[in-house]
Amino acid sequence: MKDLGLWQQFFYYFQHNGMYILGKFNQHFLISIEGVLLAALVGIPIGALIAHYRRLSNPVIQLANLIQTIPSLAMLSILMLGLGLGDQTVITTIFLYSLLPIIQNTYTGLRNTSPAVLDASKGMGMTKWQQLWMVEIPLSVSVIMAGIRNALVVAIGVTAIGAFIGAGGLGDIIIRGTNATNGGAIILAGALPTALMAIVSDLVLEGVQKLVSPKGLSES
Amino acid sequence: MAQAKPIVEFDHVGKTYPNGKQALVDFNLKVMPGDFVCFIGTSGGGKTTAMRMINRMLDPTSGEVKFDGKKVADLDPIELRRHIGYVIQNIGLIPHMTLEDNICLVPKLLKWPKEKREARARELIKLVEMPEDFLSRYPHEISGGQQQRIGVIRALAADQKVMLMDEPFGALDPLTREKLQDLVHYLQHDLGKTIIMVTHDMDEALRLATRIVIFDDGRIIQSASPAEILKHPANDFVEELIGPDRMNEAKVMLATASSIMLNNPVSTTGDVTLGEALVKMNNHHIDSLIVVDDEHRLIGELDIGQVMAHRNLKLKVKNYMLASPRSVFEDDLLSSIYQTIINRHLKYMPVVDHDHRVVGIITRSSLATLLCEHVWGKADPEDNADEGK
Ligand SMILES: Nc1ncnc2c1ncn2[C@@H]1O[C@H](COP(=O)(O)OP(=O)(O)OP(=O)(O)O)[C@@H](O)[C@H]1O
Ligand SMILES: [Mg+2]
């Protein structure tokens, strides 16, 4: 009985605050994706770099690993000291978290290119750049996308917590719910779309991953 | 050929890897245009190392490698590699490119126009007897043997004059391997490509090479034509590499006519009568005679059939013999004469010196005995399963 009440309240809240929730949803998504894209912009070249200068790979990956082990609330708080309240802090946090999966997957993808294929490419007279663009990247794009996918799901979660330092997004609604008495329905109105966003993004990126991975690789 | 310039030349080349391993020691070799050179020898002998220096996949630590008269050290490695075909054991087709794109990779790097590339791809896929619509397939959609065929034609798509191949057929089954050997033989023999191939398969080397270079521990043990290597292996190592069976076969096949002929064949001059000739045949229990002139030069042969056809035993042999018969020189190799005798059903073959003086005779039956004993006596000729031991 009480459950039913909760759901009724939830739908009521949803109907009356639809636009508000949608706005928060968009904001949430943009923050997450911005952090991940920045990380991709930086992480993919770093991954390519350490794939070629393998001596750098250990320190770089270890550092990215270390960042990953910092709990998100702690990371947000520490960065907040420097960057203040607001979404720039959350975006930076996401950026830092996303580096590991993106660097690592780029590195792994590039390193796993078959040595025979690389040897032949080089032996036929490809420059280093041609090898990277024509061979290595196409062959690892699927693995790199998997890293980005991973990062985005984590990012959506981090953004939710980011509301505590004033970044906005669906986390705002959750906080509002925790502050209200009997705010369960409001919490749901924030939490469910967050979960939905994570699941749908993952599915969409899975599709993208399949789309961008070159044809000849789909071993039947 | 003597005045031709080597297309590839190793001049006192040494290679010591950073770990101190001396992979090549004072290596000297000249490869002439149109040669088919096979590198063979112990594992770790430096074959791959030597080959990869030609297209600067590796650089020597001492000495010079020259390509077409120019030091490769002075050439741009990228440009150089685009002009030298490169085939590796693991094939290395690029998996996300269609066969057409794989074949046309170097032409594309060289910025050929699209139509020219497409025409080239069609021409080449025909060369290896694969249907044109395969061009739009991906490497994983064709068999290993087909993949390596594409690997080979990819290496000549830009009309490279020189092709390097590192154990290109090592991973293929014997039948496929044989087909591909035919292909590369055609490329060298008929299209005039210069091919340098690393192999572990002595039969392959003997079959294809115009020159075999035998490696051991970074040094050339012997560098010579297949026949020369079979005839005069430089040392026990080479002999072992060739193996007793092939040595045996070679001994027979590379035997000269004079070493296997019967001496003092029964002969007659042309001035005797058919009657006298008949008596001679009878005395020696033979059915034909070699006819020679005063200086013992071969001028004809007389078969008992010809005598019987005329009956008039007073006639002179020289008017009824078979003139200018077939003969072989005493230094001809058995490998070049046995097929003539066997396939043409000749009963015998006179052996002459270079002044056409008769020195001996090889009979069909003695040849058959020899071939059976030494060549096919030990193993079924179809059976090559015990190779590489
Ligand atoms: N990059 C390297 N660093 C150090 N040593 C190497 C390197 N490449 C090859 N060697 C060594 O140099 C020697 C010659 O190697 P190479 O690959 O030329 O032999 P190979 O004749 O091609 O042998 P195989 O028949 O097994 O292919 C070997 O002892 C090998 O271990
Ligand atoms: Mg080798």
Side-chain angles (χ1 to χ4, degrees), chain B residues 172-182 207 384:
Chain B
L172 304 176
D173 65 276
L175 224 73
T176 311
R177 191 183 319 171
E178 208 164 291
K179 274 197 194 140
L180 274 149
Q181 287 170 353
D182 290 342
R207 182 169 170 216
N384 51 4

Side-chain angles (χ1 to χ4, degrees), chain A residues 114-128 130 133-136 138-139 214-220, chain B residues 52 55-57 77-78 81-82 84-86 88 90-97 102 105-106 108-109 111 138 140 154:
Chain A
S114 136
V117 170
L118 281 182
D119 188 54
S121 311
K122 185 178 174 195
M124 283 187 297
M126 283 193 184
T127 62
K128 275 239 181 312
Q130 285 168 333
W133 283 118
M134 296 171 70
V135 181
E136 293 173 82
L139 288 180
K215 256 171 94 192
L217 300 182
S218 45
E219 227 104 339
S220 48
Chain B
R52 287 165 68 87
N55 62 351
R56 288 198 65 188
M57 294 295 275
I78 301 293
R81 287 175 201 145
R82 291 177 184 174
I84 297 179
Y86 187 58
I88 56 177
N90 297 318
I91 309 175
L93 293 184
I94 301 174
H96 66 282
M97 292 187 186
N102 266 290
L105 196 69
V106 179
K108 189 170 181 186
L109 296 175
K111 303 201 165 59
Y138 288 96
H140 80 263
R154 178 175 67 171

Side-chain angles (χ1 to χ4, degrees), chain B residues 280-299:
Chain B
K280 203 162 198 173
M281 285 185 200
N282 192 26
N283 287 345
H284 289 91
H285 306 289
I286 53 180
D287 59 4
S288 55
L289 285 175
I290 289 173
V291 187
V292 295
D293 65 10
D294 296 340
E295 313 220 14
H296 215 67
R297 281 191 294 243
L298 181 69
I299 56 168

Side-chain angles (χ1 to χ4, degrees), chain B residues 30-96:
Chain B
K30 286 188 174 116
V31 178
M32 292 299 169
D35 272 356
F36 198 129
V37 176
C38 280
F39 289 177
I40 196 166
T42 40
S43 180
K47 306 179 291 293
T48 300
T49 302
M51 162 166 292
R52 287 165 68 87
M53 284 178 179
I54 299 169
N55 62 351
R56 288 198 65 188
M57 294 295 275
L58 285 173
D59 287 323
T61 42
S62 64
E64 288 291 348
V65 179
K66 289 179 198 153
F67 180 74
D68 210 4
K70 294 181 277 287
K71 295 178 181 173
V72 292
D74 297 338
L75 302 174
D76 172 26
I78 301 293
E79 209 43 44
L80 177 71
R81 287 175 201 145
R82 291 177 184 174
H83 290 93
I84 297 179
Y86 187 58
V87 185
I88 56 177
Q89 173 171 8
N90 297 318
I91 309 175
L93 293 184
I94 301 174
H96 66 282

Side-chain angles (χ1 to χ4, degrees), chain A residues 90-123:
Chain A
V90 180
I91 291 173
T92 310
T93 305
I94 292 172
F95 168 78
L96 290 174
Y97 275 135
S98 303
L99 280 177
L100 180 69
I102 292 176
I103 291 178
Q104 187 148 40
N105 280 37
T106 307
Y107 172 79
T108 313
L110 293 182
R111 282 249 59 102
N112 280 353
T113 318
S114 136
V117 170
L118 281 182
D119 188 54
S121 311
K122 185 178 174 195

